[in-house]
Amino acid sequence: MQTLSESRNIELQSLALRVREHIIRMATDGGCFIGASLSCTDLLVYLYSEALDMAPGRTQDSTRDYLLLSKGHDVPALYGTLAELGYFSKERLDNHLRTNDDIYWHPNRAIPGVEFHAGSLGHLLSVAIGIAMDIRLRKGSNRVFVIMGDGELNEGSVWEAMLTASAYKLNNLIAIVDRNEFQANVRTEELIPLEPLISKFEAMGWNAIRTNGHDFEAMQETFNQLLSMQSNQRKPGVIVANTVRGKGLPSIEQRADRWFVNFTHEEVAMLLLELHGVAKAALTSETLLVR
Amino acid sequence: MKTYEEALIECALTDERIIVMTAENRVAIRKLPPILGERFIDVGIAEQTMIGIAAGLALRGRIPIVHALAAFLTMRAFEFIRDDVGIAHLPVKLVGGVPGFLSDGNGPTHQAIEDIALMRGIPNMQIFAPADMNDLTASLPQIVASQEPCYIRYPAAAPTNIERTRLGIGNGEPIATGSDVEILTYGVLVREAILAREILAKEGVSVGIMDVRWLRPFDSETVLEAVHAAALTVTLEDHFLSGGLFSILSEELVKREEMATVLPIALEERWFKPALLPDVLEYEGFTGKQIAKKIKERLLGQPITIPKASTIRGLKTTSV
């Protein structure tokens, strides 16, 4: 992977903006887990656009890269990304929570592009290991990515699986921690502190790097760095992506009570305006800085 | 006859899809690692991780056969089996060691006597409780060929010398016929049922025995036919009374609006006394002799009247 060009960076920002619009639209008529969805939007946009060897026509191709979403609650971000990239039609997002479709609060394998269902935390690192083991058995070169929440790291099964991945030297496995510093209701460091997280992973035998999960250039650099480490060392890798819960909507960012929301249609309209205002301001200041 | 290990090697060498896994319990599969190479995976003492990995392997077309003690497999990893194997409907085969009374001296932590109830709560999960190794080794190829998930109660007990004529997933095996009593049982207690039959025969009581073998799919046709042919039905199992064979039979009868007189012999509301297997059976009242005595007492006790299925059906006022 090359460094990200300025124009590509802007394309990704624009894609992420559209995905965030989808998330906000899914936050009504039943609602969704908006905070976690907005925090990992840029990660998903980056991974599907730049890192994964995967495309809409290849969902059953055994040589594809896999991405598993273990934290589950952020599935609106995944669905928004998959729909934008053509894995299924965007109209289906309107069916969120409707019985005429299969789109609900947690990932569902029936939706094209979704590799495995999730909902109960601490499951998909093990499933990802199984996929990675089979790829190795068949001497494939594809990779398995799994996104976990930082709150999810409370689950003991994650640490069991970390030991196993390390024991089996799975350098085709890459975990990404959406480090938004929140569990459902409280800040992670105020409840079950995780830091120093990088050294914990390293002590378990993993390659671990931190990145800014909202900065596409930083992500590109970090993934390049990790992938080159993976090809030299037979270790699983993890990227701890620093993110902001509710990213893109300052009115709900880092608010403990904005975990699950069910907005009115008027509130959704206001939030869409807020999203665009923030994005426009960011773009303008960035453009000015470049000049 | 083949050992389980030999049968498993045979299956694995003819079918590349098979991956043998264990959560660091190699008692029955010690010879496998050098033979299977990378198709043998030991995840360490981590049942949950083993199930998750098995699901990942199955997603890629593999058939994982996983091994752990029945108690830890079905309880520690229950939610992983439910979510990763059950919801995904993947062909993972779960082999639970020392189920029921076979955990003998281990104590209650190791007593899987609710395993059938738990596995029965997962849609599509097959449940096989063979009486001996011969039945397991003979059935293994069919279990592996099936696309369904399957839980196997591993039968580390002496052979029964039963000649099986109804091998196949979901088939019960009638081992003896009798008109007074029908004993329905599975696993380690099949031998005790045979002993009880011999004792009762000397006293002029005619006893039939059905080795139910499969708790799921359940051979309702064969079982209910045997139940209606006898005056008294006995369900005999090393499982809690709730959720096992007695529950399954009750459900089948109620579903069909049929009745039967049933003497359930099972573990009720407590774990069993840890000791060596023969002593466990004796202490808990599950030897052939004690079972015969219980049946005799029941036959001499309150009178048994069984409404015939046809009579009961005649009472139906509505049809569904």
Side-chain angles (χ1 to χ4, degrees):
Chain A
M1 284 186 280
Q2 308 292 309
T3 50
L4 217 55
S5 71
E6 197 189 323
S7 61
R8 184 62 177 154
N9 193 348
I10 290 172
E11 275 171 35
L12 294 185
Q13 289 184 42
S14 155
L15 174 57
L17 188 67
R18 297 198 298 278
V19 173
R20 285 194 164 87
E21 285 176 15
H22 292 307
I23 295 169
I24 293 167
R25 288 200 191 96
M26 277 185 257
T28 184
D29 295 332
C32 73
F33 296 91
I34 195 167
S37 303
L38 292 169
S39 74
C40 79
T41 299
D42 299 314
L43 278 168
L44 284 166
V45 162
Y46 172 75
L47 287 165
Y48 277 98
S49 307
E50 300 296 312
L52 291 180
D53 183 17
M54 170 67 168
R58 294 181 58 205
T59 54
Q60 302 304 313
D61 175 355
S62 66
T63 67
R64 71 187 183 276
D65 281 351
Y66 287 71
L67 188 149
L68 290 85
L69 196 61
S70 192
K71 56 181 227 151
H73 278 160
D74 50 357
V75 74
L78 177 64
Y79 287 155
T81 306
L82 292 174
E84 280 295 331
L85 294 176
Y87 286 81
F88 58 89
S89 82
K90 288 180 230 174
E91 287 70 40
R92 283 185 73 176
L93 297 175
D94 296 337
N95 301 339
H96 186 228
L97 300 177
R98 303 286 90 87
T99 52
N100 64 346
D101 209 328
D102 297 307
I103 298 176
Y104 47 87
W105 287 321
H106 293 106
N108 175 4
R109 204 155 71 97
I111 305 298
V114 178
E115 298 288 3
F116 206 63
H117 52 265
S120 173
L121 297 174
H123 278 249
L124 268 54
L125 182 55
S126 305
V127 177
I129 291 172
I131 296 170
M133 280 178 165
D134 184 65
I135 289 170
R136 175 177 288 177
L137 272 170
R138 297 176 200 267
K139 310 211 182 311
S141 56
N142 37 339
R143 296 188 172 94
V144 186
F145 295 78
V146 55
I147 298 185
M148 294 187 287
D150 47 3
E152 182 177 6
L153 300 184
N154 289 178
E155 294 279 7
S157 56
V158 173
W159 299 83
E160 264 186 32
M162 273 187 215
L163 285 173
T164 308
S166 163
Y168 280 84
K169 302 180 169 60
L170 293 173
N171 60 344
N172 56 351
L173 175 74
I174 294 168
I176 296 125
V177 176
D178 180 10
R179 184 77 175 105
N180 62 25
E181 297 191 16
F182 272 91
Q183 348 230 127
N185 309 294
V186 286
R187 284 184 179 272
T188 60
E189 298 313 283
E190 287 169 11
L191 188 69
I192 307 291
L194 294 168
E195 296 299 338
L197 191 50
I198 293 286
S199 10
K200 284 191 174 78
F201 274 106
E202 284 174 346
M204 307 282 282
W206 287 55
N207 284 319
I209 321 181
R210 212 177 265 276
T211 194
N212 177 342
H214 298 307
D215 180 335
F216 295 115
E217 280 177 38
M219 284 188 258
Q220 177 88 337
E221 203 175 301
T222 316
F223 274 91
N224 280 343
Q225 201 185 333
L226 186 73
L227 294 181
S228 95
M229 283 164 89
Q230 299 301 85
S231 53
N232 300 324
Q233 300 171 43
R234 285 166 52 88
K235 286 180 176 184
V238 59
I239 288 179
V240 176
N242 291 339
T243 58
V244 174
R245 190 157 87 163
K247 177 70 178 179
L249 297 175
S251 64
I252 68 166
E253 277 178 12
Q254 303 195 58
R255 274 181 57 177
D257 60 348
R258 289 294 182 260
W259 169 59
F260 178 86
V261 294
N262 187 8
F263 291 123
T264 64
H265 289 206
E266 290 69 30
E267 284 169 327
V268 163
M270 294 297 287
L271 288 169
L272 287 171
L273 283 175
E274 181 185 357
L275 177 75
H276 282 273
V278 172
K280 193 177 171 191
L283 200 60
T284 312
S285 66
E286 225 169 77
T287 318
L288 287 174
L289 276 177
V290 170
R291 279 172 189 166
Chain B
M1 276 304 275
K2 269 177 271 182
T3 62
Y4 172 66
E5 196 163 40
E6 288 160 354
L8 192 53
I9 291 169
E10 235 177 74
C11 282
L13 291 182
T14 51
D15 191 340
E16 276 290 313
R17 296 173 303 167
I18 293 176
I19 306 277
V20 175
M21 300 182 71
T22 178
E24 222 255 297
N25 189 311
R26 299 194 183 194
V27 179
I29 48 176
R30 278 191 215 289
K31 290 184 201 150
L32 267 69
I35 297 169
L36 293 188
E38 285 187 309
R39 285 200 288 139
F40 179 90
I41 298 171
D42 188 339
V43 299
I45 310 163
E47 292 80 9
Q48 301 174 103
T49 294
M50 174 170 69
I51 298 299
I53 293 176
L57 288 163
L59 281 175
R60 295 268 304 174
R62 299 288 185 173
I63 297 174
I65 305 177
V66 312
H67 302 78
L69 292 197
F72 313 139
L73 183 62
T74 60
M75 289 182 267
R76 170 73 68 107
F78 177 77
E79 195 227 19
F80 285 69
I81 297 174
R82 174 192 180 274
D83 286 11
D84 304 343
V85 177
I87 296 175
H89 200 167
L90 294 171
V92 175
K93 315 298 174 179
L94 313 157
V95 183
V98 297
F101 283 149
L102 292 175
S103 84
D104 49 16
N106 278 299
T109 54
H110 287 54
Q111 294 176 5
I113 48 181
E114 57 277 76
D115 54 338
I116 291 168
L118 288 167
M119 291 299 106
R120 224 155 76 70
I122 299 172
N124 304 308
M125 180 65 71
Q126 300 174 338
I127 305 172
F128 183 41
D132 60 19
M133 208 49 80
N134 292 346
D135 195 7
L136 175 55
T137 55
S139 303
L140 198 59
Q142 285 172 306
I143 293 171
V144 169
S146 159
Q147 279 302 302
E148 301 297 326
C150 182
Y151 168 62
I152 298 164
R153 267 192 154 202
Y154 185 77
T160 56
N161 300 320
I162 299 168
E163 200 184 319
R164 300 194 179 279
T165 57
R166 302 190 76 242
L167 282 174
I169 293 172
N171 289 341
E173 179 82 52
I175 14 185
T177 51
S179 55
D180 299 323
V181 178
E182 176 68 26
I183 303 178
L184 307 176
T185 188
Y186 55 83
V188 67
L189 292 173
V190 169
R191 282 178 302 161
E192 303 306 321
I194 294 171
L195 289 175
R197 179 176 193 268
E198 285 165 8
I199 294 165
L200 289 167
K202 284 176 195 151
E203 301 182 29
V205 182
S206 159
V207 178
I209 303 174
M210 166 90 61
D211 176 5
V212 169
R213 301 171 71 239
W214 288 89
L215 285 309
R216 224 166 168 229
F218 189 69
D219 196 347
S220 312
E221 291 289 306
T222 317
V223 169
L224 290 179
E225 198 181 307
V227 164
H228 292 311
L232 173 69
T233 298
V234 177
T235 56
L236 173 66
E237 53 189 326
D238 51 341
H239 190 276
F240 281 136
L241 184 62
S242 49
L245 177 57
F246 174 67
S247 295
I248 296 170
L249 177 65
S250 307
E251 290 166 19
E252 290 300 322
L253 286 167
V254 172
K255 233 188 273 176
R256 291 159 193 249
E257 299 183 30
E258 294 175 6
M259 285 181 78
T261 303
V262 182
L263 167 66
I265 303 178
L267 291 156
E268 292 192 51
E269 296 300 319
R270 64 180 192 86
W271 285 274
F272 63 81
K273 185 77 168 177
L276 293 179
L277 180 60
D279 298 332
V280 173
L281 293 177
E282 183 75 40
Y283 186 92
E284 298 292 342
F286 282 74
T287 63
K289 201 174 156 191
Q290 290 162 311
I291 292 162
K293 189 163 172 267
K294 283 177 193 173
I295 293 172
K296 197 73 189 295
E297 281 167 5
R298 180 65 187 85
L299 289 173
L300 296 173
Q302 64 205 82
I304 295 169
T305 49
I306 341 161
K308 289 285 171 217
S310 54
T311 324
I312 297 301
R313 288 217 166 131
L315 292 175
K316 281 169 72 172
T317 50
T318 53
S319 58
V320 182

